[in-house]
Amino acid sequence: MPRFLTDFIQACMDGLLTGALYALIGMGLALIFGVMRIVNFAHGAFLMVGMYVSWVLFDKFQVNPYIGFLISGLFLFVFGYLVYRALIQPIRDRSDFMQILMTTGIALILVDSVQLKFGADYHQTIIDLTNRPPFSFGAFTLNRAALLSFVIAGVFIVGLQQFVVRSRTGQALRAIAQNREVAPLMGINVTMIQGFSFALGIAMAGLAGGLLLPALYLFPSVGEDYTLKAFVIVVLGGMGSIEGAAIGGLVLGMTESITSAYLGQQWALAVDFILFLLVLSLKPSGIFGRQRA
Amino acid sequence: MSTTTPNPANTGTAVGSAATPLLQVDGVTAFYRDLQALFGITLKVMPGEIVALIGANGAGKTTLLRVISGVKQAAAGSVKFEGADVSRVPAHRMVARGVSHVPEGRQVFPFLTVRENLSLGAYTSRARASMKQSMEEQLALFPRLGERMNQLAGTLSGGEQQMVAIARGLMAKPKLLLLDEPSLGLAPKIVDEVFDKIQSVRQTGITMMIVEQNVVSGLSIADRGYVIQTGTVLLEDTSSNLLKNEMVRAAYLGL
């Protein structure tokens, strides 16, 4: 196989591995947007909290991050629900502007609180798996830690999608996304389902945070890029479509990886936003079909 | 139009009579911000009755339905359902109590299939238990929906969407069905079809309250009617009397 082809395939595979985590993050944001019509500008900050939870477990109790991420998810579910009840529910019918201010404010408070408690130092989480030589087959190699988080993220992506399509709560959630005025006439408790969806979306960010921990340096504002990326993913997939966000995440992961391979890593974020602007200006309903599910 | 239920014609004094009304609305007022929409509405619906609310656009008919189904709270007055005060009960709980509201403009879930729309109608645990059976009943009543079960509801014609909305409302196993403008935006031929279906629903013994701008159609399937004007009850009588009433004929039938 010619070199340029193996390089390209390698970049695509690396991109898919990262993309699965992006998908998880984007699906959480899409879920919240779909059910509440709120763009959660604190999404990356919640992800960062998930990383810190997993890091504390690792640092203080030697819990492997590939187990700790589950606790991050659970913690963020409860935390997300409390934030919803205290701060989001009172403003859910207010203007977009109010919602942007509120979620941005939550992000600032989370980042600064974590900085107060844990300091601004960088932390690295070194586990056995990250030091093992990469998994290789033929001309290709794959990072073992990234491969493991890809598999785990895949399980949660499929699980969430199936939950939304098949379960009774999932059905209620889609009903609210499509017609919030009529959903209560079906007997759906909109306030309760919205709280649950918000918590679930935040839990997805928490899980992704836990899974990202071994791959990244940890510091309080590590989540900032992820808020923007999650937003790009959701726009790529069509605002509010959960399946679209999953595909959008994979596309973004591959775009970044290919950009890094050919132009250098410093261009990755720039290309993200070029893609974002292209989609917004050429096909604002997202690259994948219908407006929302 | 023959009626299967007795017509309690002199409604004002029926409080002392043997049967309790299924729905009793007393002096209800409602506002949209500073704008008052209802100015003390009093009416009632007896079990098994079909009651029509007629009146011009903006008279407050839809607001009244919204207050009854709990979507909107009354500013004053009370709503009693099966004798219990439900004035402060939110919409999702009213469904469980047996009030099903089919809103104006159909409002199906456009990106869900007809089947999913119907099954959402049976969302409450009470209705869910007998979902399979209700689904069969609805398909017997609306055979055309059977062919469309796996189609997205948003792709159906207006008449078909109205059928989905009514069937969805019936899936909740209501004791009282509130129908808001079932003929709105439909071609005359389809309107007849929809009213035929409502007529069939009546055979099942479900009590109904129908809001209609189409006064003749509305009154022709109802036992009694209330004429609503600027948020108050202007007239109440049996449907046949209202259809003969000079004022109704002049104001709403252009005769």
Side-chain angles (χ1 to χ4, degrees), chain A residues 168 171-172 174-175 178-179 182 184-189 193 290 292, chain B residues 71 92 95 101 103 107 109-112 116 119-120 123 125 128 168:
Chain A
R168 179 167 178 244
Q171 215 172 42
R174 284 191 296 157
Q178 289 180 30
N179 195 332
V182 171
L185 302 182
M186 306 296 112
I188 296 167
N189 184 341
I193 300 283
R290 73 178 191 227
R292 57 192 152 98
Chain B
V71 174
H92 68 269
V95 185
H101 179 171
Q107 310 264 18
F109 298 107
F111 298 111
L112 295 184
E116 287 171 316
S119 74
L120 270 165
Y123 183 81
S125 25
R128 201 166 189 80
R168 187 181 64 182

Side-chain angles (χ1 to χ4, degrees), chain A residues 51-64:
Chain A
M51 288 179 77
Y52 270 88
V53 169
S54 199
W55 175 72
V56 168
L57 288 168
F58 171 77
D59 195 51
K60 298 269 190 293
F61 307 101
Q62 288 77 51
V63 178
N64 187 306

Side-chain angles (χ1 to χ4, degrees), chain A residues 8-28:
Chain A
F8 183 73
I9 294 172
Q10 178 71 50
C12 286
M13 286 194 301
D14 288 340
L16 280 179
L17 297 193
T18 328
L21 285 176
Y22 286 176
L24 207 54
I25 299 165
M27 283 168 95

Side-chain angles (χ1 to χ4, degrees), chain A residues 108-163:
Chain A
L108 288 173
I109 291 169
L110 289 177
V111 171
D112 286 354
S113 305
V114 166
Q115 182 153 342
L116 268 178
K117 176 84 180 114
F118 297 102
D121 293 344
Y122 281 52
H123 300 283
Q124 199 179 3
T125 307
I126 296 163
I127 55 171
D128 212 24
L129 197 65
T130 31
N131 285 336
R132 298 251 299 275
F135 175 75
S136 64
F137 58 103
F140 307 111
T141 59
L142 291 175
N143 179 305
R144 281 173 197 271
L147 193 59
L148 180 60
S149 52
F150 172 79
V151 172
I152 295 172
V155 170
F156 280 97
I157 290 166
V158 174
L160 180 66
Q161 192 269 342
Q162 288 294 306
F163 170 77

Side-chain angles (χ1 to χ4, degrees), chain A residues 35 169 172-173 176 188-198, chain B residues 123:
Chain A
V35 178
T169 306
L173 196 145
I176 296 171
I188 296 167
N189 184 341
V190 173
T191 305
M192 201 186 77
I193 300 283
Q194 283 187 333
F196 174 80
S197 308
F198 190 82
Chain B
Y123 183 81

Side-chain angles (χ1 to χ4, degrees), chain B residues 128-181:
Chain B
R128 201 166 189 80
S130 49
M131 176 147 97
K132 239 189 142 138
Q133 194 205 334
S134 332
M135 192 87 87
E136 277 164 22
E137 284 169 20
Q138 299 323 315
L139 292 185
L141 187 58
F142 304 101
R144 193 143 24 118
L145 297 186
E147 307 154 22
R148 301 268 190 267
M149 285 302 264
N150 297 316
Q151 214 168 307
L152 295 184
T155 65
L156 303 184
S157 71
E160 287 168 337
Q161 288 191 18
Q162 186 62 60
M163 312 261 177
V164 171
I166 296 173
R168 187 181 64 182
L170 289 169
M171 289 293 290
K173 303 226 126 223
K175 295 168 191 159
L176 174 65
L177 185 69
L178 306 173
L179 287 174
D180 196 350
E181 301 275 7

